[in-house]
Amino acid sequence: MKLLTHNMLTSHVKGVTKGYPLLIKATEVKVNDVDFNPQFVCRMIPKLEWSALVEAADLLGHRQDLPSELVPDYEKNEDFLKKVHRALLEVEVIEGCLQCPESGREFPISRGIPNMLLNEDEV
Amino acid sequence: MASSCSRTCLQYLLHLAHDNLDFRLPSPFWCLNSLTEEDVRSVMARSVCAKSAFELWGRGRTHSELRTSLLNYSPEKMSPYVHKESTYRINVYTFNKTLLFADRIKKIDALEYLPFEGTVSLKSPQHIFCLLEDYGTDPNNIPEHPNYVYFGRWIADGQRELIRSHSVKSRHFIGNTSMDAGLSFIMTNHAKVKENDLVFDPFVGTGSLLVACSHFGAYVCGTDIDYNTIHGKGRSSRKNQKWRGPDENIRANLRQYGTQKMYVDVMVSDASKPVWRNAALFDAIITDPPYGIRESTRKTGSHKDIAKAPDGSYADSHVPVSQAYNLSDIFADLLHFSAQHLVVGGRLVYWLPVYRPEYCEEMIPHHACLQLVSNCEQTLSSHTSRRLITMEKIKEPKELDGLAGAPDPRCSPYHGHNAFREKYFSGLNKRSSKEDTRADVDGK
C-alpha cells in the first residue's frame, strides 16, 4: 500500500464518525524506485490531506524533512516535489495493518494489499 | 473554428474498422470538416476503431465524378506533395470487394491526370496516397462498380495494433471475464483518460481496464471483493493450467506492458461499502461490474447468525459471508459513488447488462450530478446485450437540495433488471440448442 492510497482511505466501520486517517502499523516497508513525474505530483497535491501524509511518512520513518505545511509555489520547486513523490509513490507498506482510529478495528495488509472487508455483523 | 483557418481546415476522411458496428454510423468511411491536421493526428493517436486517416482531395459516386472533384482541388494545396523532388506511392483500397493486382494497377494508371511530378517509390515514399472504393456493406451483393470513391493523402494510422499487442491471449494474468483489449481501449477513450490522470476501477478483477488506462499515461488503482483475484491466487482461467503462477497479478500485467510505474494500489474491498474519504479524488472511473452470470454478484453481509467466540471475536480463518448484490443496487451505488468521488468533468464508463425484449432508454440509471454522454449496445445473444454507458460529472452532490442525489432504488427503472440473471438463464433453456448460434463469449 502506498501513502497516496492511504491518504484517501477512511474507516467505514458502522457508526464511526472520526475514521480518518487510518493508523498504519507496519511490520514490513519497502522503498521502490518509481520514475519521478512532477506533473502527476502537482496534480495530486491539491487532493491530499497534507498533515495526514506527513504523519504517515513520519510514522514509517520516511518523512525525509517533508514540511508540516505545504510550501507555497510548490509547482516550480523540484526538490520539494521529489520528496513528495518519494513519500506518495515510492514508500510501500508490504505487511502490517491499518487501524480505525475510533473503533480500533484492524484491516490487514499482506503482500502490499490492504483487505478492507468488514465482517457480516459490522455492516 | 474561425474562418481564418479556411486555408488550414481541409476535409479529412477516416477509414473505420468494420467491427463494433453498433458503436458508430453504418458506413466505414467518414468525411470530416472543420478539423486541422493536428486534430486528426491526435484522434488517430488514440483511436482503436479507425484504421487510417486521409487528407481528402476528391470524392464522387463514380470515377468520373472523382476526376472532376480532383481537378477542382486547389493546386496550391497539392503542390507540397507533388513537386519534382518528392517521392510517392498510390495504394488502392476496396471495401467489400477483392481486386486482382492487375485491376489495381489499372485504377492507379487511370489517375494519370493528377499533377504528380515526383518519383514513385514503393519502399519508402515521402508521401502516400490512397484511392478508396466503397462497394457497400452487403457481402452477398457486391456491385460491379463502387458506390463511392475517394482519393486522399495518407496522414496517420489508428492504434489498432494495440488490439493485437495487448491481446488477452498473451496476457500474464487473466480471469474468466477479463475485458478484451479493443473494448478496454474504447472504454479508456470514452472516459477521456489522459496522462497524469488518476483512474479507479471498483470491480477491477484482473485489471484489464487499468492496463489500457496505464498505456495512455494514467495512474491506476482498483478494488475487488474477491481475495484470490486481487492476490493472483487460485484456479487459472487458462485451459491447460490448473493453478495461477507466482507472477500472475495485476502489477505483473502492467509490468508486461512496461507501465508498472503507473500502478498505485489494488485492494480487497466491497464496492457497496466504499472506503474512500469524501472528496473528488478520481479523474475517471472505468469498470465492468459483475452481471451475476459468469461471476457472482456479492457484497459482505449475511442473513444468518454467524458463530462467534464468547468474547465476540471471529476465528482468524473467518472469511466474511457474502449475500447477493442486486443488480439495480450495483448501478445505483456506482452512480452515487461516482457523483461523490469524480472530479467535475470526470467520467464514469461502465457496462450495463440488458434484457433486450424489455429494454427502453428510460432504464439507463440516472443521477442528478451525472450527465449521460453515450449509450452503445453490444449484442451478446438474441435476448441479451450489454450497453457501454458513459456519463460525465457536471456538479458536486452538495450543490443539490437535500437527498436529491441519493440513490432511490424504489423508483429506479432498472429495478426489473434484477431479474436479468433469471431471464438470461430462462432464455437459454427455452431455446433449442440449434437456434442460438451467436456465441455468448462475453455474456456474463
Side-chain angles (χ1 to χ4, degrees), chain A residues 5 9 113-114 116, chain B residues 204 222-224 230 265-269 275-276:
Chain A
T5 308
L9 292 178
I113 296 172
M116 306 302 293
Chain B
V204 71
T223 59
D224 202 286
I230 290 287
D265 270 304
V266 298
M267 301 185 289
V268 183
S269 180
V275 295
W276 308 92

Side-chain angles (χ1 to χ4, degrees), chain B residues 22-301:
Chain B
D22 291 335
F23 285 27
R24 60 154 164 90
L25 302 167
S27 171
F29 297 104
W30 196 16
C31 293
L32 298 164
N33 301 317
S34 315
L35 292 176
T36 62
E37 183 167 318
E38 202 189 307
D39 294 332
V40 173
R41 285 185 189 277
S42 25
V43 168
M44 298 310 278
R46 290 291 297 240
S47 175
V48 292
C49 297
K51 286 177 120 165
S52 313
F54 304 90
E55 181 183 82
L56 192 61
W57 285 16
R59 56 197 293 199
R61 288 167 301 178
T62 61
H63 277 277
S64 173
E65 279 186 19
L66 173 67
R67 184 175 192 269
T68 313
S69 173
L70 282 169
L71 292 174
N72 276 333
Y73 192 71
S74 140
E76 206 179 67
K77 291 182 192 160
M78 285 193 194
S79 62
Y81 313 106
V82 301
H83 64 80
K84 273 203 313 250
E85 270 80 56
S86 66
T87 58
Y88 71 99
R89 69 171 281 168
I90 299 179
N91 295 333
V92 178
Y93 175 78
T94 52
F95 177 73
N96 196 32
K97 186 166 190 143
T98 356
L99 221 54
L100 296 169
F101 181 74
D103 292 326
R104 286 177 191 274
I105 301 298
K106 274 198 208 140
K107 287 179 191 283
I108 295 175
D109 288 342
L111 296 168
E112 44 85 57
Y113 55 84
L114 288 169
F116 283 109
E117 290 175 30
T119 350
V120 171
S121 165
L122 293 181
K123 281 223 167 111
S124 46
Q126 288 165 332
H127 309 292
I128 298 174
F129 297 87
C130 198
L131 170 71
L132 300 109
E133 297 188 324
D134 183 357
Y135 286 86
T137 48
D138 186 352
N140 298 317
N141 187 11
I142 304 173
E144 199 198 320
H145 298 290
N147 297 336
Y148 218 93
V149 291
Y150 307 87
F151 184 87
R153 177 178 70 90
W154 176 83
I155 300 212
D157 283 340
Q159 304 303 308
R160 290 186 65 74
E161 165 60 16
L162 289 175
I163 299 173
R164 189 208 59 81
S165 64
H166 284 64
S167 165
V168 163
K169 286 188 206 144
S170 47
R171 190 161 309 159
H172 287 155
F173 176 48
I174 57 165
N176 293 341
T177 53
S178 292
M179 183 69 52
D180 79 60
L183 290 173
S184 300
F185 284 110
I186 288 176
M187 289 176 80
T188 303
N189 286 337
H190 275 231
K192 293 173 94 168
V193 169
K194 58 195 184 302
E195 216 182 333
N196 303 325
D197 273 355
L198 182 63
V199 175
F200 175 62
D201 182 350
F203 299 97
V204 71
T206 57
S208 304
L209 301 179
L210 300 189
V211 164
C213 292
S214 71
H215 178 80
F216 289 117
Y219 288 75
V220 296
C221 54
T223 59
D224 202 286
I225 201 171
D226 191 281
Y227 183 94
N228 280 343
T229 308
I230 290 287
H231 280 270
K233 289 169 145 183
R235 291 190 179 274
S236 171
S237 293
R238 298 212 130 91
K239 192 170 126 185
N240 306 324
Q241 193 184 333
K242 190 164 180 200
W243 300 104
R244 287 178 168 147
D247 197 32
E248 291 192 47
N249 52 59
I250 295 172
R251 203 165 196 158
N253 277 347
L254 292 181
R255 194 183 308 129
Q256 179 180 358
Y257 303 107
T259 55
Q260 201 195 343
K261 61 179 185 271
M262 322 308 301
Y263 176 91
V264 176
D265 270 304
V266 298
M267 301 185 289
V268 183
S269 180
D270 178 346
S272 72
K273 295 170 185 62
V275 295
W276 308 92
R277 68 172 153 85
N278 197 4
L281 303 166
F282 306 114
D283 297 293
I285 295 170
I286 306 191
T287 194
D288 182 23
Y291 318 150
I293 306 296
R294 291 192 298 160
E295 307 281 17
S296 60
T297 59
R298 50 195 171 104
K299 56 178 181 176
T300 45

Side-chain angles (χ1 to χ4, degrees), chain A:
Chain A
M1 182 203 66
K2 302 188 182 177
L3 294 186
L4 171 59
T5 308
H6 167 261
N7 196 268
M8 302 190 289
L9 292 178
T10 187
S11 168
H12 56 310
V13 172
K14 203 157 96 173
V16 160
T17 49
K18 295 201 172 79
Y20 181 87
L22 293 159
L23 298 154
I24 309 179
K25 292 173 161 185
T27 52
E28 188 188 330
V29 177
K30 215 171 124 195
V31 180
N32 304 307
D33 242 322
V34 179
D35 289 1
F36 173 56
N37 179 349
Q39 287 93 345
F40 179 69
V41 179
C42 285
R43 290 196 79 206
M44 289 304 111
I45 289 175
K47 295 180 183 178
L48 301 172
E49 287 288 333
W50 183 255
S51 50
L53 174 67
V54 176
E55 238 173 69
D58 201 34
L59 187 88
L60 296 178
H62 286 281
R63 182 173 170 167
Q64 304 233 313
D65 13 278
L66 267 180
S68 13
E69 306 237 323
L70 254 187
V71 314
D73 290 329
Y74 54 78
E75 289 95 340
K76 310 253 171 65
N77 190 335
E78 194 174 282
D79 258 349
F80 173 74
L81 292 178
K82 280 199 170 136
K83 288 190 184 136
V84 180
H85 161 83
R86 187 178 187 280
L88 286 180
L89 296 175
E90 294 191 323
V91 176
E92 199 175 345
V93 178
I94 305 294
E95 300 288 332
C97 71
L98 295 168
Q99 186 177 45
C100 171
E102 192 177 313
S103 69
R105 210 278 194 197
E106 289 184 351
F107 298 96
I109 301 176
S110 78
R111 289 197 292 227
I113 296 172
N115 182 342
M116 306 302 293
L117 293 179
L118 292 168
N119 291 315
E120 301 80 352
D121 59 349
E122 291 175 292
V123 306

